[in-house]
Amino acid sequence: MEQFLQVGIISSTHGIRGEVKVFPTTDDAVRFKKLKKVILNAGKEQIPLEIENVKFFKQFVILKFKGIDNINDIEKYKGKSLFVDRENAVKLEKDEYYIADLIGMQVFTEEGRLGVLKDVLETGANEVYVVDSDKYGEVLIPAIQQCILDVNVQEQTMKVYLLEGLIS
Protein backbone atom coordinates (compact mmCIF):
# COMPACT_ATOMS: atom_id res chain seq x y z
CA MET A 1 0.00 0.00 0.00
CA GLU A 2 1.10 3.51 -0.75
CA GLN A 3 2.14 5.53 2.29
CA PHE A 4 1.14 8.83 0.65
CA LEU A 5 -1.97 9.62 -1.37
CA GLN A 6 -2.17 12.36 -3.98
CA VAL A 7 -4.76 15.08 -3.28
CA GLY A 8 -3.87 17.64 -5.94
CA ILE A 9 -1.52 19.10 -8.52
CA ILE A 10 -0.29 22.69 -8.46
CA SER A 11 -1.63 24.17 -11.68
CA SER A 12 -0.35 27.74 -11.49
CA THR A 13 0.34 30.63 -9.18
CA HIS A 14 -2.51 32.88 -8.06
CA GLY A 15 -1.59 36.50 -7.46
CA ILE A 16 1.77 37.65 -6.15
CA ARG A 17 1.49 36.68 -2.47
CA GLY A 18 2.45 33.02 -2.83
CA GLU A 19 -0.98 31.49 -3.41
CA VAL A 20 -1.37 28.60 -5.86
CA LYS A 21 -4.21 27.14 -7.92
CA VAL A 22 -4.45 23.43 -7.23
CA PHE A 23 -6.34 20.95 -9.39
CA PRO A 24 -7.82 18.51 -6.85
CA THR A 25 -7.27 14.80 -7.52
CA THR A 26 -9.53 13.78 -4.67
CA ASP A 27 -13.26 13.07 -4.92
CA ASP A 28 -14.04 15.73 -2.34
CA ALA A 29 -12.30 19.08 -2.92
CA VAL A 30 -13.99 20.54 0.19
CA ARG A 31 -11.68 18.27 2.23
CA PHE A 32 -8.98 20.94 1.80
CA LYS A 33 -10.90 23.06 4.36
CA LYS A 34 -10.12 20.46 7.05
CA LEU A 35 -6.61 19.68 5.84
CA LYS A 36 -3.79 21.23 7.85
CA LYS A 37 -0.68 19.83 6.13
CA VAL A 38 0.34 18.50 2.73
CA ILE A 39 3.56 17.15 1.31
CA LEU A 40 4.89 18.75 -1.86
CA ASN A 41 6.67 16.30 -4.12
CA ALA A 42 9.42 18.54 -5.49
CA GLY A 43 11.19 15.72 -7.32
CA LYS A 44 14.35 15.14 -5.33
CA GLU A 45 12.78 16.15 -2.03
CA GLN A 46 9.46 15.97 -0.21
CA ILE A 47 8.58 19.32 1.36
CA PRO A 48 6.03 19.40 4.22
CA LEU A 49 3.79 22.47 3.94
CA GLU A 50 1.27 23.89 6.38
CA ILE A 51 -1.96 25.20 4.84
CA GLU A 52 -2.73 28.73 5.99
CA ASN A 53 -5.78 29.56 3.85
CA VAL A 54 -8.17 27.79 1.46
CA LYS A 55 -10.47 29.29 -1.18
CA PHE A 56 -12.34 27.78 -4.12
CA PHE A 57 -12.42 29.08 -7.69
CA LYS A 58 -14.26 27.12 -10.41
CA GLN A 59 -12.78 23.58 -10.40
CA PHE A 60 -9.65 24.74 -8.53
CA VAL A 61 -8.67 25.07 -4.90
CA ILE A 62 -6.62 28.18 -4.05
CA LEU A 63 -4.09 27.41 -1.33
CA LYS A 64 -1.86 29.68 0.72
CA PHE A 65 0.98 27.96 2.56
CA LYS A 66 2.46 29.28 5.80
CA GLY A 67 5.87 30.90 5.23
CA ILE A 68 5.45 31.23 1.46
CA ASP A 69 4.51 34.86 0.87
CA ASN A 70 5.97 35.58 -2.55
CA ILE A 71 5.18 34.33 -6.05
CA ASN A 72 8.89 33.64 -6.61
CA ASP A 73 8.99 31.16 -3.70
CA ILE A 74 6.26 28.93 -5.14
CA GLU A 75 6.41 29.45 -8.94
CA LYS A 76 9.05 26.74 -9.41
CA TYR A 77 6.61 24.11 -8.11
CA LYS A 78 4.02 24.45 -10.91
CA GLY A 79 2.99 20.98 -12.09
CA LYS A 80 4.14 19.31 -8.87
CA SER A 81 1.89 17.00 -6.83
CA LEU A 82 0.56 17.46 -3.31
CA PHE A 83 0.18 14.43 -1.07
CA VAL A 84 -1.18 13.53 2.36
CA ASP A 85 -0.07 10.63 4.50
CA ARG A 86 -2.63 7.90 5.17
CA GLU A 87 -3.51 9.16 8.63
CA ASN A 88 -4.67 12.48 7.11
CA ALA A 89 -6.52 10.84 4.23
CA VAL A 90 -10.30 10.82 3.91
CA LYS A 91 -11.80 7.89 5.79
CA LEU A 92 -13.32 5.34 3.43
CA GLU A 93 -16.80 3.88 3.57
CA LYS A 94 -17.44 0.15 3.21
CA ASP A 95 -16.47 -1.11 -0.28
CA GLU A 96 -14.50 2.09 -1.06
CA TYR A 97 -10.80 1.98 -1.92
CA TYR A 98 -8.00 4.40 -2.68
CA ILE A 99 -7.10 4.22 -6.37
CA ALA A 100 -3.42 4.00 -5.42
CA ASP A 101 -4.20 0.73 -3.59
CA LEU A 102 -6.00 -0.77 -6.59
CA ILE A 103 -3.38 -0.12 -9.26
CA GLY A 104 -1.21 -3.20 -9.75
CA MET A 105 -3.69 -5.67 -8.23
CA GLN A 106 -3.86 -9.18 -9.64
CA VAL A 107 -7.36 -9.71 -11.05
CA PHE A 108 -9.00 -13.14 -11.09
CA THR A 109 -12.20 -14.68 -12.44
CA GLU A 110 -13.62 -18.08 -11.46
CA GLU A 111 -11.55 -19.54 -14.33
CA GLY A 112 -8.26 -18.15 -12.99
CA ARG A 113 -5.99 -15.14 -13.45
CA LEU A 114 -7.37 -12.46 -15.79
CA GLY A 115 -4.56 -9.87 -15.56
CA VAL A 116 -3.33 -6.78 -13.71
CA LEU A 117 -5.41 -3.71 -12.88
CA LYS A 118 -3.51 -0.86 -14.54
CA ASP A 119 -5.89 2.11 -14.36
CA VAL A 120 -9.17 3.39 -12.94
CA LEU A 121 -11.39 5.54 -15.15
CA GLU A 122 -13.77 7.85 -13.35
CA THR A 123 -17.04 8.16 -15.26
CA GLY A 124 -20.26 9.83 -14.22
CA ALA A 125 -22.11 6.70 -13.17
CA ASN A 126 -19.37 4.48 -11.74
CA GLU A 127 -15.65 3.87 -11.98
CA VAL A 128 -14.30 1.51 -14.63
CA TYR A 129 -11.32 -0.74 -13.91
CA VAL A 130 -8.85 -1.18 -16.76
CA VAL A 131 -7.29 -4.63 -16.63
CA ASP A 132 -4.28 -5.58 -18.75
CA SER A 133 -4.95 -9.20 -19.72
CA ASP A 134 -2.51 -11.50 -21.52
CA LYS A 135 -5.40 -13.39 -23.11
CA TYR A 136 -7.84 -10.57 -24.00
CA GLY A 137 -5.72 -7.40 -24.12
CA GLU A 138 -7.28 -4.43 -22.35
CA VAL A 139 -10.49 -5.35 -20.50
CA LEU A 140 -12.80 -2.66 -19.10
CA ILE A 141 -14.78 -3.77 -16.04
CA PRO A 142 -17.44 -1.54 -14.47
CA ALA A 143 -16.94 -1.15 -10.72
CA ILE A 144 -20.41 -2.39 -9.81
CA GLN A 145 -21.49 -5.07 -7.33
CA GLN A 146 -22.42 -7.53 -10.09
CA CYS A 147 -18.84 -7.45 -11.46
CA ILE A 148 -16.56 -6.81 -8.45
CA LEU A 149 -16.97 -9.81 -6.16
CA ASP A 150 -14.06 -9.30 -3.76
CA VAL A 151 -11.20 -6.85 -3.19
CA ASN A 152 -8.32 -7.73 -0.86
CA VAL A 153 -6.02 -4.72 -0.48
CA GLN A 154 -3.55 -6.58 1.77
CA GLU A 155 -3.08 -9.45 -0.68
CA GLN A 156 -3.36 -7.13 -3.73
CA THR A 157 -6.03 -9.34 -5.34
CA MET A 158 -9.45 -8.74 -6.85
CA LYS A 159 -12.05 -11.30 -7.87
CA VAL A 160 -14.40 -10.28 -10.68
CA TYR A 161 -17.32 -11.64 -12.65
CA LEU A 162 -17.24 -10.77 -16.36
CA LEU A 163 -20.68 -9.83 -17.63
CA GLU A 164 -21.50 -11.04 -21.12
CA GLY A 165 -19.97 -8.76 -23.74
CA LEU A 166 -17.05 -7.47 -21.65
CA ILE A 167 -14.61 -9.74 -23.48
CA SER A 168 -14.69 -11.11 -27.01
Side-chain angles (χ1 to χ4, degrees):
M1 291 194 300
E2 299 283 328
Q3 180 185 356
F4 299 105
L5 302 167
Q6 186 183 54
V7 292
I9 300 169
I10 295 176
S11 167
S12 63
T13 56
H14 182 78
I16 60 170
R17 292 187 172 80
E19 291 181 315
V20 289
K21 276 187 193 175
V22 173
F23 180 77
T25 57
T26 176
D27 287 346
D28 181 16
V30 178
R31 76 178 313 276
F32 281 94
K33 281 281 193 196
K34 296 177 185 165
L35 205 55
K36 303 283 184 238
K37 296 178 181 177
V38 293
I39 298 160
L40 172 66
N41 181 2
K44 293 180 178 156
E45 61 179 329
Q46 315 301 322
I47 303 169
L49 296 171
E50 191 175 331
I51 296 174
E52 189 175 282
N53 192 21
V54 178
K55 297 185 278 189
F56 299 95
F57 178 72
K58 296 184 181 177
Q59 78 267 29
F60 294 99
V61 180
I62 310 294
L63 295 181
K64 169 73 176 78
F65 299 115
K66 192 172 191 173
I68 297 179
D69 301 312
N70 186 308
I71 188 173
N72 298 324
D73 297 336
I74 196 74
E75 193 168 33
K76 60 187 169 199
Y77 299 120
K78 284 195 289 189
K80 302 296 183 189
S81 296
L82 298 174
F83 292 85
V84 294
D85 53 23
R86 276 192 185 270
E87 63 190 47
N88 290 314
V90 173
K91 302 298 177 231
L92 297 174
E93 300 291 324
K94 183 181 184 301
D95 294 331
E96 286 186 333
Y97 307 95
Y98 297 117
I99 291 174
D101 291 342
L102 297 175
I103 303 295
M105 273 191 174
Q106 298 295 317
V107 180
F108 296 89
T109 64
E110 288 185 1
E111 287 79 44
R113 184 179 178 278
L114 176 66
V116 176
L117 195 147
K118 71 173 188 175
D119 200 4
V120 176
L121 305 176
E122 298 188 50
T123 66
N126 53 268
E127 293 177 338
V128 176
Y129 297 156
V130 181
V131 177
D132 191 14
S133 170
D134 295 335
K135 187 173 182 181
Y136 303 106
E138 193 173 84
V139 179
L140 302 177
I141 303 172
I144 56 177
Q145 283 183 330
Q146 295 92 325
C147 293
I148 309 304
L149 304 178
D150 183 56
V151 176
N152 188 321
V153 174
Q154 277 68 35
E155 292 182 14
Q156 281 287 282
T157 59
M158 179 183 293
K159 187 171 182 186
V160 301
Y161 172 75
L162 297 176
L163 294 172
E164 195 171 322
L166 289 179
I167 55 174
S168 50

Short mmCIF file of all heavy atoms in Angstrom, two decimals, residues 118-141:
data_model
loop_
_atom_site.label_atom_id
_atom_site.label_comp_id
_atom_site.label_asym_id
_atom_site.label_seq_id
_atom_site.Cartn_x
_atom_site.Cartn_y
_atom_site.Cartn_z
N LYS A 118 -4.52 -1.89 -14.23
CA LYS A 118 -3.51 -0.86 -14.54
C LYS A 118 -4.03 0.56 -14.46
O LYS A 118 -3.24 1.50 -14.43
CB LYS A 118 -2.90 -1.12 -15.91
CG LYS A 118 -3.81 -0.88 -17.09
CD LYS A 118 -3.06 -1.01 -18.40
CE LYS A 118 -3.94 -0.56 -19.55
NZ LYS A 118 -3.24 -0.56 -20.81
N ASP A 119 -5.37 0.75 -14.43
CA ASP A 119 -5.89 2.11 -14.36
C ASP A 119 -7.33 2.08 -13.87
O ASP A 119 -8.00 1.05 -13.94
CB ASP A 119 -5.84 2.77 -15.74
CG ASP A 119 -5.90 4.29 -15.69
OD1 ASP A 119 -5.92 4.87 -14.58
OD2 ASP A 119 -5.94 4.93 -16.76
N VAL A 120 -7.78 3.22 -13.36
CA VAL A 120 -9.17 3.39 -12.94
C VAL A 120 -9.70 4.62 -13.65
O VAL A 120 -9.15 5.72 -13.52
CB VAL A 120 -9.29 3.55 -11.41
CG1 VAL A 120 -10.73 3.81 -11.01
CG2 VAL A 120 -8.74 2.32 -10.70
N LEU A 121 -10.76 4.43 -14.45
CA LEU A 121 -11.39 5.54 -15.15
C LEU A 121 -12.58 6.01 -14.33
O LEU A 121 -13.40 5.20 -13.90
CB LEU A 121 -11.87 5.10 -16.54
CG LEU A 121 -10.82 4.47 -17.45
CD1 LEU A 121 -11.47 3.99 -18.75
CD2 LEU A 121 -9.71 5.44 -17.74
N GLU A 122 -12.66 7.31 -14.11
CA GLU A 122 -13.77 7.85 -13.35
C GLU A 122 -14.81 8.40 -14.32
O GLU A 122 -14.55 9.37 -15.02
CB GLU A 122 -13.28 8.91 -12.37
CG GLU A 122 -12.30 8.31 -11.36
CD GLU A 122 -11.93 9.25 -10.25
OE1 GLU A 122 -12.85 9.84 -9.65
OE2 GLU A 122 -10.74 9.39 -10.00
N THR A 123 -15.95 7.73 -14.38
CA THR A 123 -17.04 8.16 -15.26
C THR A 123 -18.14 8.76 -14.38
O THR A 123 -18.03 8.75 -13.16
CB THR A 123 -17.59 6.97 -16.05
OG1 THR A 123 -18.22 6.06 -15.14
CG2 THR A 123 -16.49 6.25 -16.82
N GLY A 124 -19.18 9.23 -14.99
CA GLY A 124 -20.26 9.83 -14.22
C GLY A 124 -21.00 8.83 -13.35
O GLY A 124 -21.29 9.09 -12.20
N ALA A 125 -21.30 7.67 -13.90
CA ALA A 125 -22.11 6.70 -13.17
C ALA A 125 -21.30 5.89 -12.17
O ALA A 125 -21.68 5.75 -11.01
CB ALA A 125 -22.78 5.76 -14.17
N ASN A 126 -20.20 5.31 -12.61
CA ASN A 126 -19.37 4.48 -11.74
C ASN A 126 -17.96 4.45 -12.32
O ASN A 126 -17.74 4.82 -13.46
CB ASN A 126 -19.93 3.06 -11.63
CG ASN A 126 -20.15 2.42 -12.99
OD1 ASN A 126 -21.24 2.52 -13.54
ND2 ASN A 126 -19.13 1.79 -13.56
N GLU A 127 -17.02 4.01 -11.49
CA GLU A 127 -15.65 3.87 -11.98
C GLU A 127 -15.57 2.65 -12.88
O GLU A 127 -16.39 1.74 -12.81
CB GLU A 127 -14.68 3.73 -10.81
CG GLU A 127 -14.60 4.99 -9.98
CD GLU A 127 -13.71 4.85 -8.77
OE1 GLU A 127 -13.47 3.71 -8.30
OE2 GLU A 127 -13.26 5.88 -8.27
N VAL A 128 -14.55 2.65 -13.75
CA VAL A 128 -14.30 1.51 -14.63
C VAL A 128 -12.86 1.09 -14.41
O VAL A 128 -11.95 1.91 -14.48
CB VAL A 128 -14.55 1.88 -16.11
CG1 VAL A 128 -14.18 0.72 -17.02
CG2 VAL A 128 -16.00 2.29 -16.32
N TYR A 129 -12.66 -0.21 -14.13
CA TYR A 129 -11.32 -0.74 -13.91
C TYR A 129 -10.76 -1.21 -15.24
O TYR A 129 -11.41 -1.96 -15.97
CB TYR A 129 -11.35 -1.89 -12.90
CG TYR A 129 -11.82 -1.48 -11.52
CD1 TYR A 129 -12.36 -2.41 -10.66
CD2 TYR A 129 -11.70 -0.17 -11.07
CE1 TYR A 129 -12.78 -2.05 -9.38
CE2 TYR A 129 -12.11 0.20 -9.81
CZ TYR A 129 -12.65 -0.75 -8.97
OH TYR A 129 -13.06 -0.38 -7.71
N VAL A 130 -9.54 -0.78 -15.54
CA VAL A 130 -8.85 -1.18 -16.76
C VAL A 130 -7.87 -2.28 -16.40
O VAL A 130 -6.92 -2.05 -15.64
CB VAL A 130 -8.11 0.02 -17.41
CG1 VAL A 130 -7.42 -0.41 -18.69
CG2 VAL A 130 -9.07 1.18 -17.66
N VAL A 131 -8.11 -3.47 -16.94
CA VAL A 131 -7.29 -4.63 -16.63
C VAL A 131 -6.48 -5.01 -17.86
O VAL A 131 -7.03 -5.14 -18.96
CB VAL A 131 -8.14 -5.83 -16.17
CG1 VAL A 131 -7.28 -7.05 -15.92
CG2 VAL A 131 -8.93 -5.46 -14.91
N ASP A 132 -5.17 -5.14 -17.68
CA ASP A 132 -4.28 -5.58 -18.75
C ASP A 132 -4.21 -7.10 -18.70
O ASP A 132 -3.64 -7.67 -17.78
CB ASP A 132 -2.89 -4.96 -18.55
CG ASP A 132 -1.99 -5.13 -19.74
OD1 ASP A 132 -2.50 -5.50 -20.82
OD2 ASP A 132 -0.77 -4.91 -19.60
N SER A 133 -4.84 -7.74 -19.70
CA SER A 133 -4.95 -9.20 -19.72
C SER A 133 -4.09 -9.78 -20.83
O SER A 133 -4.10 -9.29 -21.97
CB SER A 133 -6.42 -9.58 -19.94
OG SER A 133 -6.55 -10.96 -20.19
N ASP A 134 -3.33 -10.83 -20.51
CA ASP A 134 -2.51 -11.50 -21.52
C ASP A 134 -3.39 -12.13 -22.60
O ASP A 134 -3.06 -12.11 -23.77
CB ASP A 134 -1.64 -12.59 -20.88
CG ASP A 134 -0.61 -12.01 -19.92
OD1 ASP A 134 -0.23 -10.83 -20.09
OD2 ASP A 134 -0.20 -12.73 -19.00
N LYS A 135 -4.53 -12.66 -22.19
CA LYS A 135 -5.40 -13.39 -23.11
C LYS A 135 -6.30 -12.48 -23.95
O LYS A 135 -6.51 -12.71 -25.13
CB LYS A 135 -6.25 -14.37 -22.31
CG LYS A 135 -7.08 -15.31 -23.15
CD LYS A 135 -7.76 -16.35 -22.28
CE LYS A 135 -8.56 -17.32 -23.12
NZ LYS A 135 -9.23 -18.33 -22.30
N TYR A 136 -6.84 -11.39 -23.33
CA TYR A 136 -7.84 -10.57 -24.00
C TYR A 136 -7.37 -9.14 -24.31
O TYR A 136 -8.13 -8.36 -24.87
CB TYR A 136 -9.11 -10.48 -23.15
CG TYR A 136 -9.70 -11.81 -22.82
CD1 TYR A 136 -9.58 -12.35 -21.53
CD2 TYR A 136 -10.38 -12.56 -23.78
CE1 TYR A 136 -10.13 -13.59 -21.22
CE2 TYR A 136 -10.93 -13.80 -23.48
CZ TYR A 136 -10.80 -14.30 -22.19
OH TYR A 136 -11.34 -15.52 -21.89
N GLY A 137 -6.17 -8.79 -23.95
CA GLY A 137 -5.72 -7.40 -24.12
C GLY A 137 -6.28 -6.54 -23.01
O GLY A 137 -6.36 -6.97 -21.86
N GLU A 138 -6.73 -5.35 -23.34
CA GLU A 138 -7.28 -4.43 -22.35
C GLU A 138 -8.75 -4.75 -22.11
O GLU A 138 -9.55 -4.75 -23.04
CB GLU A 138 -7.12 -3.00 -22.84
CG GLU A 138 -7.35 -1.97 -21.78
CD GLU A 138 -7.01 -0.57 -22.26
OE1 GLU A 138 -7.87 0.07 -22.90
OE2 GLU A 138 -5.87 -0.13 -22.01
N VAL A 139 -9.11 -5.03 -20.86
CA VAL A 139 -10.49 -5.35 -20.50
C VAL A 139 -11.01 -4.25 -19.58
O VAL A 139 -10.36 -3.90 -18.60
CB VAL A 139 -10.58 -6.72 -19.78
CG1 VAL A 139 -12.01 -7.04 -19.40
CG2 VAL A 139 -10.00 -7.83 -20.65
N LEU A 140 -12.18 -3.70 -19.91
CA LEU A 140 -12.80 -2.66 -19.10
C LEU A 140 -13.92 -3.29 -18.27
O LEU A 140 -14.85 -3.90 -18.82
CB LEU A 140 -13.38 -1.55 -19.99
CG LEU A 140 -12.37 -0.88 -20.92
CD1 LEU A 140 -13.07 0.16 -21.80
CD2 LEU A 140 -11.25 -0.23 -20.14
N ILE A 141 -13.82 -3.15 -16.95
CA ILE A 141 -14.78 -3.77 -16.04
C ILE A 141 -15.44 -2.68 -15.21
O ILE A 141 -14.75 -1.96 -14.48
CB ILE A 141 -14.08 -4.79 -15.12
CG1 ILE A 141 -13.36 -5.85 -15.95
CG2 ILE A 141 -15.09 -5.43 -14.16
CD1 ILE A 141 -12.48 -6.77 -15.14
#
